[in-house]
């Protein structure tokens, strides 16, 4: 790595504290809408708070994954420029409320999340499905979306020094994943199902305390990019493959610069830099983060997670 590259990476890392404040503020803005049955107002509160906060940060930022196209999202739309125009030039992948339905129903595992990287280095993932597979540091290099889950489990188990029956595989509880769940059961391994928010599941593979060896399944492509940033920082591994469901979606991939929409994308193809970081704050309680809490004195407490290259930490704060 050249001296200039090191300087640039350090420059981007200086933004982590600013973006931590952004996700904290977004999570607290959603708090009044938890369990009130209106996911749009919850998402709107977080989106407005994030946009306002990011507008004051010294950076030249571009939204590459956000709330949608310009004509369907008035704020945090794809291509929107944010920041003062000074400082680092960065790409932003943002999900103001990951798990809007969870928030509206007062259920666990919703987050406010942002991934940031040097400008021009994040995949412009269209809003469609993506096949995903993720592992932590010890199993890096052992996954391949071109082979079956059974073969991947054998490879991951070998890398971890485990018997395949000792693996725990995280899979979203959806009928489309029944064939994956069957493969896990067939080798005697364990499934940990979840309802929503596969970003948390992907990160869990790289955190020893979570006891998850592998995440697999089909979910949103934008969330796949955000998860890939987090895992790149944590030293894990990730692969994705877009699943365009019709000719229109296939053409949209081409338009967004993806030459082969059906190709397996490695982590380094999704995130083409080490100059990146990930921040998240819990909105409702989850396996990774505690939700926003309000004390009798009116103070708000948040629980957040930051991942930069070779460093991660959990942060509890009072506001």
């Amino acid at each position: 790595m050249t001296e200039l590259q090191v300087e640039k990476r350090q420059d981007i890392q200086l933004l982590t504290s600013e973006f931590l404040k952004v996700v904290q503020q977004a999570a607290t803005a959603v708090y009044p809408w938890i369990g009130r049955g209106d996911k749009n107002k919850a998402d709107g509160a977080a989106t407005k708070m994030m946009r306002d906060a990011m507008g004051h940060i010294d950076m030249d930022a571009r939204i590459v994954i956000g709330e949608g196209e310009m004509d369907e999202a008035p704020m945090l739309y794809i291509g929107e420029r944010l920041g003062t125009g000074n400082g680092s030039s960065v790409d932003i992948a943002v999900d103001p409320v990951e798990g809007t339905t969870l928030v509206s129903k007062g259920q666990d595992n919703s987050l406010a999340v942002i991934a940031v990287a040097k400008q021009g280095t994040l995949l412009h993932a269209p809003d469609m499905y993506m096949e995903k597979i993720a592992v932590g540091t010890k199993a890096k290099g052992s996954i391949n979306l071109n082979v079956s889950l059974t073969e991947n489990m054998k490879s991951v188990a070998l890398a971890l020094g485990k018997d395949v029956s000792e693996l725990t595989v995280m899979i979203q509880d959806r009928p489309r994943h029944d064939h994956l769940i069957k493969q896990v059961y067939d080798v005697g391994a364990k499934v940990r199902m979840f309802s929503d928010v596969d970003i948390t599941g992907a990160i869990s593979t790289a955190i020893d305390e979570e006891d998850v060896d592998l995440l697999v399944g089909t979910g949103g492509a934008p969330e796949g990019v955000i998860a890939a940033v987090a895992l790149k920082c944590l030293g894990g591994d990730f692969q994705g493959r877009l699943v365009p469901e019709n000719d229109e979606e296939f053409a949209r991939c081409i338009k967004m610069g993806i030459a082969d929409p059906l190709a397996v994308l490695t982590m380094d193809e999704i995130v083409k830099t080490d100059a990146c970081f990930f921040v998240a704050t819990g909105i409702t309680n989850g396996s990774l983060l505690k939700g926003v809490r309000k004390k009798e004195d009116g103070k708000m407490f948040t629980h957040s997670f930051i991942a930069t290259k070779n460093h991660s930490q959990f942060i509890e704060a009072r506001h």
Side-chain angles (χ1 to χ4, degrees):
M1 187 179 295
T2 68
E3 188 174 320
L4 180 59
Q5 287 173 319
V6 170
E7 182 181 338
K8 277 288 185 184
R9 193 171 85 182
Q10 290 173 340
D11 194 26
I12 287 176
Q13 307 304 339
L14 293 175
L15 293 172
T16 55
S17 61
E18 297 291 338
F19 277 90
L20 172 62
K21 294 174 189 174
V22 173
V23 289
Q24 289 172 333
Q25 290 170 14
T28 56
V30 175
Y31 179 81
W33 298 104
I34 295 173
R36 297 192 185 275
D38 196 327
K39 65 180 184 179
N40 292 327
K41 286 188 177 178
D43 190 59
T47 300
K48 185 179 186 306
M49 181 62 76
M50 278 193 173
R51 185 176 184 269
D52 290 347
M54 286 192 282
H56 298 293
I57 298 175
D58 280 331
M59 63 180 178
D60 173 21
R62 176 184 59 175
I63 301 292
V64 297
I65 289 174
E67 292 291 271
E69 303 292 341
M70 184 177 180
D71 59 352
E72 60 188 43
M75 293 186 289
L76 301 184
Y77 60 83
I78 297 169
E80 184 173 9
R81 311 297 297 216
L82 291 171
T84 64
N86 302 315
S88 300
S89 297
V90 297
D91 283 345
I92 296 176
V94 58
D95 197 341
V97 181
E98 169 67 336
T100 52
T101 299
L102 299 177
V103 169
S104 70
K105 294 180 177 180
Q107 295 177 329
D108 291 348
N109 282 315
S110 61
L111 307 166
V113 297
I114 298 177
V116 179
K118 184 174 70 173
Q119 202 160 96
T121 61
L122 289 185
L123 177 75
H124 288 224
D127 189 8
M128 62 180 62
Y129 277 132
M130 173 188 274
E131 294 177 49
K132 309 173 191 180
I133 188 167
V135 290
T137 308
K138 295 176 183 176
K140 185 174 182 178
S142 65
I143 54 175
N144 181 359
L145 267 181
N146 281 322
V147 302
S148 69
L149 174 56
T150 302
E151 289 303 311
N152 274 291
M153 285 188 290
K154 291 177 181 177
S155 179
V156 169
L158 183 63
L160 296 177
K162 293 183 175 183
D163 186 85
V164 69
S165 64
E166 297 177 288
L167 294 180
T168 298
V169 184
M170 204 156 194
I171 302 175
Q172 190 176 21
D173 188 7
R174 295 288 190 276
R176 65 178 178 267
H177 294 147
D178 287 349
H179 68 293
L180 298 174
I181 293 167
K182 182 179 185 301
Q183 289 179 69
V184 178
Y185 290 154
D186 283 349
V187 298
K190 294 182 290 186
V191 171
R192 183 183 296 181
M193 292 189 197
F194 64 98
S195 64
D196 292 279
V197 188
D198 62 7
I199 292 174
T200 299
I203 292 170
S204 295
T205 65
I207 297 177
D208 291 341
E209 292 78 8
E210 292 298 310
D211 193 28
V212 175
D213 300 303
L214 183 70
L215 172 126
V216 67
T218 300
E223 292 83 359
V225 175
I226 295 173
V229 172
L231 282 168
K232 188 152 200 181
C233 294
L234 293 167
D237 205 356
F238 182 95
Q239 287 187 4
R241 177 165 48 208
L242 294 170
V243 186
E245 297 184 330
N246 50 50
D247 292 343
E248 183 182 348
E249 288 194 349
F250 191 93
R252 187 161 181 244
C253 293
I254 300 293
K255 184 179 178 181
M256 294 180 77
I258 301 166
D260 183 358
L262 302 181
V264 171
L265 299 165
T266 66
M267 186 165 62
D268 288 339
E269 289 171 322
I270 297 170
V271 188
K272 301 182 182 73
T273 182
D274 285 341
C276 58
F277 64 85
F278 168 90
V279 291
T281 296
I283 298 172
T284 55
N285 286 330
S287 59
L288 186 70
L289 292 168
K290 291 180 281 192
V292 178
R293 292 158 289 153
K294 188 173 184 179
K295 299 296 185 179
E296 290 182 3
D297 62 1
K299 296 290 186 182
M300 307 286 279
F301 284 77
T302 58
H303 190 211
S304 305
F305 179 72
I306 294 178
T308 60
K309 192 62 178 174
N310 299 320
H311 178 73
S312 64
Q313 61 180 321
F314 290 93
I315 297 171
E316 292 196 83
R318 183 175 69 173
H319 308 273

